[in-house]
Amino acid sequence: MGKWGKRIGYGIGDLGCNLVFSTMASYLMIFYTDVFGIAAAAAGTMMLVTKFIDALTDTAMGLIVDRTHTRWGQGRPYFLIGAVPFAVFTFLTFYIPDLGSTGKLVWAYVTYCLLCTAYTVVNIPLNTIVPRLTSDIHERNCLVSARMICAMLGTAIVMTITTPMVEYFGQGNEAKGYLITMTIYGIAAMLIFFVTFASTKEVVPPSVKREKTTLKEDLKGLTDQSWIFFILNLLYFSLYVVRSTTVIYYFKYNLGRTEWLTLVGLLGILSGLPMLLILPWLEKKFSKRNLMIASVLIYIAGDLLIYFGKSSSFCLLAGLVITGLGIYGIFGITFAIQPDVIDYSEYKKKASVSGLIAAFQGFFVKGGMGLTSAIIGFVLKQGGYVANAEQTPKALAYIETSFIWIPIILCAAIAVVTLFYKLDGLREEMNVALETGRNSNC
């Protein structure tokens, strides 16, 4: 398997994840409120509760990966194990049973939890195996960028064709349209995970021998930089959820441009492609910390352009492009930091805890997404949002706050946390020490 085969094979794993993950982030809230028939506050609360349950399963999965030793590696087997359940639970999440309001809410809780668990089974290993695929730092950055590009393409597919597919398959019946569309996404994701398994191989052993340890001992392997990484994930995915969820409300109700939704999704996502393509090169020239802060400033500039230029089609479109560059810069750099954090635990603490790091990453991601979804539901309720109706000025103001100002606050927080990241200056020192450790374990 050549370099590009490995890059693409690894990268498309996140395309498969994002066919469903991006749909959940962008459409699930409006599906639950406008199609399934759950009140906005109840849907937001459900997402909060289930995400914290999901965060616990992430932790368990990370511990399982760290303790997995097979001829296929630690992470790869789970691409096969999780593929079929992922497709099945995608179908069930978007199936609307005839159970009454309470029964439907219980169904939503159970199926959403099961889908998130299946996602965890395939996604945690995807997060852990980069340091095991290669020890070359530039190649790692290329693998991460390939993954981010594929994730972006998955999101672009979702934002571009989901609404047309729902309309085509539903023929006026949105429930049927969503069910068929999501079944197709689930089956496609399942097949993609099979390809990812076949295209990757774990060839780099840890620099320290893995001993039988307790959770308490594993926790000691986490460093201060691990916690910086976890908080960045919480903030980034909170930003992602706010933007992905509220952009639909903002363009549908505040701007009255429902016909733009496909274009909005396409521009807001594919505009990040140039950033992801040049990130490996930029990471050779600049520190990850400086690139992160620059990406934050780019996003804020685009957000303000949308706010002040909302009466201009050009400003709206340009703002979407600029925020797309910014958010995918934050996205790519956040994930490029992960292999460094894993290596730092081996270097500083002599601990091989890649699974635990991925688990805590998932915990903070899911917790942040759940909390953010609950906040959005609460804000919409406080504003007096009524599904599929003309909104009051107060409701429109609350939607605008959710779409414009909450992301700016999150971006500012990302910039502050990034100031405490210090691994850029330790990379060469870590390389020497880790390679020495690997050679001594051979």
Side-chain angles (χ1 to χ4, degrees):
M1 179 67 67
K3 283 186 176 181
W4 278 105
K6 181 170 64 176
R7 291 172 184 174
I8 294 172
Y10 170 72
I12 62 171
D14 223 7
L15 188 154
C17 288
N18 270 277
L19 286 177
V20 176
F21 179 87
S22 293
T23 305
M24 291 193 294
S26 300
Y27 288 92
L28 193 59
M29 184 73 167
I30 203 164
F31 169 78
Y32 277 142
T33 58
D34 292 17
V35 182
F36 202 93
I38 300 176
T45 301
M46 184 198 72
M47 289 187 178
L48 174 62
V49 173
T50 55
K51 283 301 180 187
F52 278 104
I53 294 173
D54 188 32
L56 296 176
T57 65
D58 279 359
T59 304
M61 189 64 202
L63 295 173
I64 290 169
V65 170
D66 277 340
R67 287 158 176 76
T68 297
H69 302 283
T70 72
R71 63 190 179 94
W72 297 293
Q74 289 183 289
R76 286 178 65 229
Y78 296 103
F79 299 142
L80 294 181
I81 293 170
V84 174
F86 190 81
V88 172
F89 296 138
T90 297
F91 168 83
L92 293 176
T93 298
F94 285 84
Y95 175 77
I96 305 177
D98 186 15
L99 296 175
S101 57
T102 301
K104 286 169 66 177
L105 185 60
V106 171
W107 177 272
Y109 266 88
V110 172
T111 55
Y112 186 47
C113 278
L114 290 172
L115 175 57
C116 289
T117 300
Y119 176 86
T120 293
V121 171
V122 293
N123 193 255
I124 291 293
L126 198 67
N127 288 338
T128 65
I129 65 172
V130 170
R132 305 293 164 243
L133 298 179
T134 178
S135 59
D136 181 85
I137 302 305
H138 178 65
E139 181 60 22
R140 286 183 180 181
N141 290 336
C142 289
L143 285 167
V144 171
S145 288
R147 178 185 175 185
M148 298 304 100
I149 290 170
C150 289
M152 180 200 67
L153 291 176
T155 305
I157 290 170
V158 167
M159 295 299 291
T160 303
I161 70 172
T162 297
T163 298
M165 286 178 68
V166 169
E167 292 175 351
Y168 174 78
F169 289 117
Q171 295 294 310
N173 184 340
E174 283 191 291
K176 178 183 176 182
Y178 271 107
L179 183 62
I180 295 175
T181 299
M182 294 313 301
T183 299
I184 292 171
Y185 285 171
I187 293 172
M190 176 185 70
L191 297 176
I192 286 171
F193 297 141
F194 293 155
V195 173
T196 297
F197 172 83
S199 303
T200 55
K201 187 176 181 180
E202 297 179 42
V203 296
V204 180
S207 64
V208 294
K209 289 185 177 180
R210 175 73 193 183
E211 305 291 345
K212 289 185 177 181
T213 57
T214 65
L215 174 59
K216 182 178 179 179
E217 291 170 330
D218 284 350
L219 289 172
K220 293 179 180 178
L222 300 178
T223 66
D224 59 329
Q225 297 301 291
S226 301
W227 294 102
I228 295 297
F229 173 65
F230 300 150
I231 294 170
L232 285 175
N233 273 272
L234 183 150
L235 293 171
Y236 166 73
F237 279 94
S238 294
L239 173 65
Y240 174 80
V241 168
V242 172
R243 175 184 167 84
S244 299
T245 300
T246 60
V247 67
I248 298 174
Y249 290 94
Y250 187 73
F251 275 80
K252 179 177 180 179
Y253 294 111
N254 290 58
L255 302 181
R257 296 178 183 265
T258 306
E259 75 281 1
W260 273 32
L261 290 180
T262 298
L263 177 62
V264 166
L266 190 62
L267 279 180
I269 297 164
L270 292 184
S271 58
L273 180 59
M275 178 66 78
L276 294 178
L277 288 173
I278 65 172
L279 261 184
W281 177 82
L282 289 174
E283 287 163 342
K284 281 186 172 182
K285 304 291 183 181
F286 306 99
S287 69
K288 291 185 176 75
R289 182 168 66 175
N290 289 342
L291 289 173
M292 179 70 86
I293 293 173
S295 297
V296 162
L297 293 175
I298 290 170
Y299 185 92
I300 291 174
D303 221 17
L304 292 176
L305 180 60
I306 291 173
Y307 175 71
F308 289 108
K310 55 191 168 188
S311 61
S312 165
S313 296
F314 174 80
C315 288
L316 286 172
L317 297 176
L320 287 170
V321 170
I322 294 170
T323 54
L325 287 169
I327 200 168
Y328 276 96
I330 299 170
F331 184 32
I333 297 160
T334 298
F335 277 83
I337 286 172
Q338 184 178 32
D340 295 337
V341 170
I342 292 172
D343 282 350
Y344 190 60
S345 283
E346 293 188 16
Y347 165 76
K348 185 75 173 179
K349 301 282 189 169
K350 306 302 180 187
S352 176
V353 289
S354 60
L356 185 64
I357 288 172
F360 270 88
Q361 177 193 15
F363 184 96
F364 277 78
V365 167
K366 305 295 176 56
M369 291 179 68
L371 182 61
T372 304
S373 295
I375 290 172
I376 295 301
F378 176 77
V379 169
L380 291 176
K381 179 183 178 183
Q382 292 300 111
Y385 169 77
V386 178
N388 299 312
E390 184 176 350
Q391 305 302 320
T392 65
K394 181 181 178 182
L396 294 175
Y398 276 60
I399 292 172
E400 184 173 75
T401 295
S402 299
F403 180 65
I404 300 292
W405 302 113
I406 292 178
I408 288 178
I409 293 170
L410 290 169
C411 280
I414 289 171
V416 171
V417 172
T418 301
L419 294 176
F420 296 93
Y421 178 74
K422 66 179 184 182
L423 297 188
D424 291 312
L426 292 174
R427 187 64 260 182
E428 291 187 12
E429 184 179 331
M430 285 196 296
N431 288 347
V432 173
L434 293 174
E435 192 60 34
T436 300
R438 293 185 188 109
N439 291 336
S440 67
N441 287 331
C442 292

